[in-house]
């Protein structure tokens, strides 16, 4: 192992263990198979999992405080929240598709395609753009909280961080529920799936309240906070309803305006 006086990555003069310009380690070693396995691969894998597990734990148990820590600069222990969200969206889409396939095999439930042109277009749209549509919840959360929770003087980008960590917690709960739902294909434990699904639905509804309460509890009394979080939830529902109406209107060429019947 050699320690260089000049960074081999950017040629910046260095005096410590890391380059002050690009951050590369100044202690270089020749790449061997054993060192690759024991250091580069396992070391990198361990730190990746450690960061993800820590971020998952913080997002579930103290989302509001985790968001504040992140905003205030305590970020080194956190895995990138938005990368994590995209990973979980992919996992949930995979699990949902796999569940449908198993349901068709073991339960005789066929995921029938919509049997009209409009329904097929809408179904294809939501299938093709599922990741983008699910991820769009983050800016929706951020916009609503930016206008409703102003006392803490967070800017819009900081509200996006709060929304991201909150939504990450929701996705973690959703992923757990999806995994448990595979108990539907067992004879003796399917009732557990039904119970967990009910608990999961309630937890998803409560979790944003828990997260935003942790974040803003020192700035709002209970009644003002309750009013704002209820309005926050109502705005999300209104925005989602408006989006669905616009989507149906777009693919139907606004046929419902003329009184045409749309079959979904």
């Amino acid at each position: 192992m050699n320690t260089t006086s000049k960074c081999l990555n950017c040629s910046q003069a260095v005096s410590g263990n890391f380059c002050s310009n690009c951050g590369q380690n100044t202690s270089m070693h020749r790449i061997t198979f054993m060192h690759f396995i024991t250091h580069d691969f396992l070391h990198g894998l361990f730190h990746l999992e450690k960061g993800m597990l820590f971020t998952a734990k913080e997002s579930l148990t103290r989302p509001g405080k985790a968001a504040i820590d992140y905003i205030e600069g305590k970020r080194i222990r956190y895995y990138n929240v938005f990368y994590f969200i995209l990973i979980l969206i992919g996992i949930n889409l995979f699990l949902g598709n796999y569940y449908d396939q198993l349901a068709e095999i073991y339960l005789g439930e066929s995921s029938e395609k919509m049997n009209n042109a409009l329904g097929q277009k809408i179904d294809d749209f939501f299938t093709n753009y599922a990741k983008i549509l699910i991820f769009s919840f983050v800016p929706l959360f951020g916009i609503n909280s930016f206008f409703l929770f102003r006392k803490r003087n967070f800017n819009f980008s900081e509200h996006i961080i709060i929304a991201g960590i909150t939504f990450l917690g929701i996705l973690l709960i959703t992923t757990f529920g999806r995994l448990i739902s595979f108990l539907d294909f067992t004879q003796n434990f399917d009732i557990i799936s039904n119970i967990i699904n009910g608990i999961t639905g309630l937890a998803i509804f409560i979790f944003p309240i828990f997260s935003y309460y942790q974040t803003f509890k020192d700035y709002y009394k209970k009644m003002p906070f309750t009013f704002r979080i209820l309005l926050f939830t109502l705005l999300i529902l209104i925005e989602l309803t408006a989006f669905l109406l616009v989507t149906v209107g777009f693919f139907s060429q606004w046929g419902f305006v003329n009184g045409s019947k749309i079959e979904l």
Side-chain angles (χ1 to χ4, degrees):
M1 182 179 296
N2 299 316
T3 301
T4 65
S5 59
K6 185 172 69 173
C7 178
L8 298 179
N9 182 58
C10 68
S11 299
Q12 177 81 11
V14 294
S15 59
N17 293 327
F18 297 92
C19 174
S20 60
N21 184 49
C22 69
Q24 176 165 290
N25 197 322
T26 58
S27 298
M28 290 293 101
H29 55 81
R30 187 173 182 180
I31 297 175
T32 64
F33 178 76
M34 184 58 67
H35 195 282
F36 171 75
I37 294 297
T38 59
H39 183 272
D40 292 340
F41 179 74
L42 293 178
H43 181 77
L45 184 62
F46 170 76
H47 278 280
L48 173 64
E49 291 180 347
K50 182 180 179 182
M52 294 183 76
L53 290 174
F54 177 79
T55 304
K57 178 183 74 71
E58 294 294 286
S59 297
L60 283 171
T61 60
R62 54 191 296 271
K65 294 178 181 178
I68 293 170
D69 286 348
Y70 195 91
I71 290 169
E72 291 179 346
K74 301 174 184 177
R75 302 169 190 171
I76 193 169
R77 299 180 67 186
Y78 289 92
Y79 186 74
N80 187 290
V81 171
F82 301 103
Y83 290 167
F84 206 162
I85 288 174
L86 289 173
I87 290 171
L88 287 178
I89 290 174
I91 291 173
N92 274 276
L93 292 175
F94 169 77
L95 291 175
N97 182 61
Y98 190 52
Y99 180 93
D100 290 341
Q101 293 180 30
L102 291 179
E104 188 171 350
I105 295 171
Y106 293 104
L107 303 180
E109 297 177 359
S110 176
S111 54
E112 299 179 356
K113 293 289 185 181
M114 299 182 182
N115 57 6
N116 61 81
L118 173 60
Q120 188 62 58
K121 287 180 179 179
I122 295 174
D123 183 58
D124 291 341
F125 172 75
F126 281 103
T127 300
N128 294 332
Y129 297 98
K131 284 189 177 182
I132 297 174
L133 295 173
I134 297 173
F135 193 81
S136 65
F137 274 89
V138 175
L140 278 182
F141 276 42
I143 291 170
N144 293 341
S145 65
F146 177 71
F147 287 107
L148 289 173
F149 299 98
R150 301 301 298 272
K151 282 188 177 182
R152 190 144 194 173
N153 294 322
F154 286 145
N155 61 36
F156 177 68
S157 297
E158 290 166 337
H159 277 275
I160 291 293
I161 296 297
I162 299 167
I165 291 178
T166 301
F167 193 61
L168 176 60
I170 292 173
L171 279 175
L172 288 166
I173 295 170
T174 303
T175 305
F176 173 74
R178 281 200 180 276
L179 289 171
I180 295 298
S181 69
F182 284 90
L183 291 176
D184 289 342
F185 307 115
T186 64
Q187 292 185 347
N188 301 317
F189 299 100
D190 53 334
I191 189 172
I192 297 177
S193 175
N194 295 330
I195 295 172
I196 295 297
N197 283 336
I199 296 174
T200 300
L202 181 61
I204 290 171
F205 177 79
I206 293 175
F207 191 81
I209 301 174
F210 170 61
S211 178
Y212 280 91
Y213 178 72
Q214 277 195 350
T215 309
F216 299 105
K217 64 180 179 180
D218 295 331
Y219 291 80
Y220 294 95
K221 294 182 180 180
K222 288 186 179 180
M223 285 304 296
F225 174 81
T226 301
F227 170 76
R228 282 171 171 78
I229 200 66
L230 288 175
L231 186 56
F232 176 91
T233 305
L234 180 61
L235 285 173
I236 291 291
L237 293 175
I238 291 173
E239 289 156 355
L240 288 177
T241 302
F243 172 77
L244 290 174
L245 289 174
V246 170
T247 302
V248 174
F250 176 78
F251 285 107
S252 66
Q253 299 181 346
W254 308 101
F256 57 86
V257 174
N258 299 320
S260 301
K261 182 179 179 181
I262 298 174
E263 296 181 359
L264 297 178

